[in-house]
């Protein structure tokens, strides 16, 4: 996001992937009945590859439905930030190199006992639900996404951190052979992010394992990523392999790269501009509509209390 800002609507129509690729499993089954299995088989086989496919769709939690229209999946699937694969937004093809099985998550640092869990065992241990959340990138665009996953608070409980833990730190995989972007030495790989323990235990903080009623697409950060909807999108780290509990405040990827522009807190605030652009409004991906940005991305009732007494901190960068 430091380098280049390409807009979704600049993607020529000829590069858009045919709609059929994004049919969900139910539609694929319907298509298999209607069009003959031969046509639908390759896509069906692809959907079946993911051993967690049967867990989706999960029941939607009505507490988190909102007034905005959901961004169509085919648009979301071609407008992503995932610097491990490209600085371009249409990185869906490149991200297919991400290998999501086997996949483990390591728990380390200030925990009762360090442990490593297989993603499919973790998925079985957690209760999945769907939440429709607004997603606001620091680059002043936004989407509305039906994520599936479980509260980060449940992951914290599972990890059993010690009372001395002050922050949770998460790390993306490091494997330049699988992610060409990681061959760029300019970036401080691996991508890391962090939250305070209070933020991690806030009910809004969500571990995402699926979207649009099925396992997460690779370009969206499969097989497990974070979403903190009241913060700028860069906090929502993708493809997590390690969760640590620490005493020192983590210095995230973007902060390491450019601390004058990106900070630890990164809470959305229309009144605090980025040093190079305004944050007062945002472009809705898919409709190109320009709408006003809201403090905490509209989630103040859930999270404003987290920041009482922290007013001297740079809460909005
Ligand atoms: N590992 C990793 N996580 C990441 C990023 C990234 O480049 N690498 N980009 C971040 C940014 S800037 C945003 S806006 C969101 C984008 O998520 P999306 O592609 O699902 O919309 O992922 C965040 N998580
Ligand atoms: Mo972002």
């Amino acid at each position: 996001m430091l380098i280049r800002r390409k807009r979704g609507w600049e993607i020529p129509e000829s590069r858009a992937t045919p709609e059929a690729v994004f049919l969900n499993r139910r539609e694929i089954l319907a298509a298999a009945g209607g069009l003959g299995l031969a046509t639908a088989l390759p896509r069906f086989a692809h959907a079946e590859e993911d051993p967690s496919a049967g867990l989706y769709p999960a029941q939607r939690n009505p507490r988190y439905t909102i007034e905005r229209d959901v961004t169509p999946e085919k648009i979301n699937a071609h407008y992503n930030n995932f610097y491990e694969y490209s600085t371009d937004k249409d990185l869906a093809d490149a991200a297919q190199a991400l290998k999501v099985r086997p996949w483990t998550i390591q728990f380390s640092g200030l925990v009762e006992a360090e442990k490593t869990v297989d993603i499919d065992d973790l998925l079985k241990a957690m209760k999945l639900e769907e939440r429709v959340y607004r997603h606001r990138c620091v680059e002043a665009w936004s989407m509305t996404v039906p994520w599936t996953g479980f509260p980060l608070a449940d992951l914290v409980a599972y990890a059993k951190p010690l009372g001395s833990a002050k922050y949770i730190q998460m790390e993306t995989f490091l494997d330049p052979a699988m992610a060409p972007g990681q061959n760029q030495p300019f970036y401080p790989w691996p991508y890391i992010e962090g939250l305070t323990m209070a933020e991690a235990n806030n009910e809004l903080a969500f571990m995402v394992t699926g979207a649009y009623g099925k396992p997460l697409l690779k370009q969206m950060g499969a097989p497990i990523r974070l979403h903190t909807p009241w913060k700028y999108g860069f906090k929502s780290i993708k493809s997590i392999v390690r969760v640590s509990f620490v005493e020192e405040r983590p210095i995230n990827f973007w902060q390491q790269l450019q601390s004058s522009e990106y900070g630890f807190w990164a809470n959305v605030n229309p009144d605090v501009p980025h040093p190079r652009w305004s944050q007062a409004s945002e472009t809705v991906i898919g409709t190109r509509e320009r709408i006003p940005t809201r403090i905490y991305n509209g989630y103040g009732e859930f999270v404003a209390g987290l920041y009482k007494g922290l007013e001297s901190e740079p809460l909005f960068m």
Side-chain angles (χ1 to χ4, degrees):
M1 58 200 175
L2 195 63
I3 310 299
R4 186 143 66 116
R5 300 172 62 207
K6 201 181 218 174
R7 307 285 193 183
W9 57 91
E10 288 172 1
I11 297 170
E13 204 52 44
S14 58
R15 279 175 67 201
T17 302
E19 181 126 5
V21 175
F22 301 98
L23 291 175
N24 69 31
R25 197 156 162 266
R26 227 180 285 124
E27 289 166 321
I28 288 163
L29 290 168
L35 300 170
L37 197 59
T39 329
L41 195 59
R43 289 165 207 146
F44 181 72
H46 180 75
E48 289 300 277
E49 259 174 38
D50 191 313
S52 68
L55 299 174
Y56 303 88
Q59 190 154 27
R60 182 171 292 186
N61 185 335
R63 186 164 161 80
Y64 306 104
T65 49
I66 48 169
E67 76 292 348
R68 291 186 194 170
D69 289 338
V70 165
T71 304
E73 182 186 9
K74 65 171 183 172
I75 290 174
N76 187 341
H78 287 268
Y79 195 92
N80 302 102
N81 269 336
F82 204 170
Y83 273 56
E84 284 80 350
Y85 288 96
S86 179
T87 55
D88 278 348
K89 295 288 191 267
D90 191 355
L91 49 78
D93 286 348
Q96 299 318 302
L98 171 60
K99 209 172 159 276
V100 297
R101 293 293 188 288
W103 192 277
T104 57
I105 299 155
Q106 199 186 329
F107 295 93
S108 61
L110 303 170
V111 287
E112 282 180 18
E114 298 200 336
K115 62 185 172 193
T116 299
V117 64
D118 182 83
I119 183 72
D120 293 302
D121 293 334
L122 181 67
L123 283 166
K124 272 177 229 148
M126 297 291 152
K127 189 174 180 302
L128 299 186
E129 63 182 59
E130 183 176 79
R131 296 183 179 187
V132 181
Y133 273 174
R134 294 183 286 272
H135 172 66
R136 172 49 161 92
C137 177
V138 74
E139 297 164 324
W141 54 263
S142 65
M143 294 198 209
T144 303
V145 188
W147 301 118
T148 307
F150 53 87
L152 173 53
D154 291 354
L155 191 76
V156 171
Y158 180 89
K160 299 196 169 82
L162 300 175
S164 52
K166 291 209 173 85
Y167 300 91
I168 186 171
Q169 176 175 313
M170 303 191 196
E171 259 176 67
T172 298
F173 68 85
L174 179 62
D175 185 353
M178 183 170 79
Q182 291 184 335
N183 291 301
Q184 301 286 334
F186 172 69
Y187 294 103
W189 309 111
Y191 199 101
I192 78 155
E193 261 305 340
L195 298 169
T196 64
M197 291 305 295
E199 289 177 324
N201 282 315
N202 185 273
E203 66 167 280
L204 275 188
F206 202 49
M207 293 308 294
V208 172
T209 59
Y212 299 93
K214 58 188 192 220
L216 206 51
L217 294 176
K218 292 180 179 184
Q219 60 268 38
M220 294 179 193
I224 185 164
R225 56 99 52 96
L226 173 68
H227 194 236
T228 47
W230 72 99
K231 293 179 176 285
Y232 292 119
F234 67 84
K235 298 294 293 182
S236 294
I237 180 172
K238 294 179 165 181
S239 304
I240 295 162
V241 294
R242 191 205 304 263
V243 176
S244 314
F245 296 86
V246 295
E247 231 169 68
E248 297 257 302
R249 184 178 295 182
I251 302 175
N252 64 46
F253 179 87
W254 285 102
Q255 210 181 350
Q256 288 178 49
L257 205 53
Q258 193 81 321
S259 62
S260 60
E261 301 193 352
Y262 308 103
F264 169 77
W265 298 101
N267 295 309
V268 175
N269 188 339
D271 298 327
V272 180
H274 183 275
R276 290 182 286 128
W277 58 84
S278 165
Q279 296 291 22
S281 64
E282 62 203 55
T283 299
V284 178
I285 299 304
T287 68
R288 308 181 192 187
E289 202 187 344
R290 196 85 196 171
I291 59 170
T293 289
R294 296 165 65 189
I295 181 105
Y296 297 114
N297 202 22
Y299 294 102
E301 60 172 308
F302 295 101
V303 297
L306 289 170
Y307 306 104
K308 294 254 163 66
L310 291 170
E311 292 79 6
S312 61
E313 294 269 341
L315 292 173
F316 305 106
M317 68 163 283

